Amino acid sequence: MKKIIYLHGFLSSPLSLKAQLTIEYCQQHYADSIEIVAPQLANYPDQVAEQLAVLLEDKQNIIGFIGSSLGGYLATYCAKQTGLPAVVINPAAYPYDLLSNYLGEHQHPYTKEFFTIGDSFNLSLRQFDVTKQELQALKISVWLQTQDETLNYQEAQDKYQYNDLNIQAGGSHAFDNYIEHLPSMLQYLFNSQA
């Protein structure tokens, strides 16, 4: 069975609404052909890198990636590593800058684990960075809503300007009406197969 890898955002989980909607939709419409793999990503970037390395070992069975927020940043990295398509939803363009506002100890709301964000955390996040120039060669569909209260959508609009941009007025960081757009997002992954 072919896989689509869903990567959740910062302080999120496979139990988040978008992840669950994606899993449920594919179970309803593609139960015999597609499995959504949605790992609980580790709290530290180096551990995430190890998780992704294991996931990407099965490249021949992966259709593509869907990622939201920080997961969009990671899905972009996965697209670069594999040459496979990705759909990124309100992606964090430069999370190592954003998370400099989150220094200190945090408790993950889903796993209840405690972890600390420091300068080394943000430095480690840079290992996943894909430059604007590198993006030009990748198959990435970018979905942005202009009223994202967490991220400035214009940063992603600029970074991904040579990719497939879908910009909607209004909305939120959670990406309002996600389920209505999911069929188009999946179609992009199907249509982008080599």
Side-chain angles (χ1 to χ4, degrees):
M1 185 174 290
K2 294 288 188 177
K3 302 173 184 177
I4 293 173
I5 296 178
Y6 182 96
L7 301 172
H8 65 73
F10 180 64
L11 297 180
S12 191
S13 153
L15 298 175
S16 68
L17 179 60
K18 282 196 297 295
Q20 288 298 304
L21 287 172
T22 306
I23 292 167
E24 290 166 10
Y25 183 88
C26 287
Q27 285 174 343
Q28 289 173 4
H29 298 276
Y30 301 103
D32 297 332
S33 56
I34 296 173
E35 175 190 7
I36 300 294
V37 176
Q40 177 64 59
L41 296 171
N43 292 320
Y44 290 101
D46 288 344
Q47 295 171 348
V48 171
E50 293 172 10
Q51 288 179 285
L52 294 181
V54 171
L55 284 169
L56 299 185
E57 285 176 2
D58 193 23
K59 175 186 167 182
Q60 67 274 11
N61 289 316
I62 300 173
I63 292 172
F65 308 91
I66 299 175
S68 175
S69 192
L70 181 60
Y73 177 71
L74 298 173
T76 301
Y77 165 81
C78 291
K80 179 190 170 190
Q81 296 300 110
T82 61
L84 295 170
V87 170
V88 297
I89 303 149
N90 285 335
Y94 308 102
Y96 38 82
D97 293 334
L98 178 73
L99 292 181
S100 64
N101 297 324
Y102 288 79
L103 298 180
E105 188 175 66
H106 298 268
Q107 184 177 24
H108 196 290
Y110 288 91
T111 67
K112 306 306 179 190
E113 297 169 330
F114 286 93
F115 66 103
T116 302
I117 294 179
D119 291 337
S120 62
F121 182 103
N122 287 320
L123 192 62
S124 186
L125 268 180
R126 289 181 179 269
Q127 69 187 289
F128 305 111
D129 204 22
V130 180
T131 67
K132 192 187 301 187
Q133 289 70 34
E134 291 171 322
L135 282 168
Q136 294 183 52
L138 302 180
K139 294 174 280 194
I140 299 182
S141 184
V142 186
W143 294 74
L144 302 170
Q145 291 188 334
T146 62
Q147 294 300 311
D148 185 331
E149 69 282 5
T150 302
L151 301 172
N152 179 353
Y153 82 95
Q154 292 171 320
E155 288 187 353
Q157 180 183 17
D158 175 67
K159 184 171 183 177
Y160 292 91
Q161 62 184 279
Y162 301 112
N163 298 103
D164 175 54
L165 281 174
N166 302 274
I167 303 174
Q168 300 176 355
S172 68
H173 186 62
F175 203 89
D176 295 0
N177 304 314
Y178 171 70
I179 194 65
E180 294 176 17
H181 303 289
L182 182 57
S184 297
M185 295 174 180
L186 293 170
Q187 204 59 51
Y188 178 86
L189 296 180
F190 303 151
N191 292 344
S192 299
Q193 299 304 298

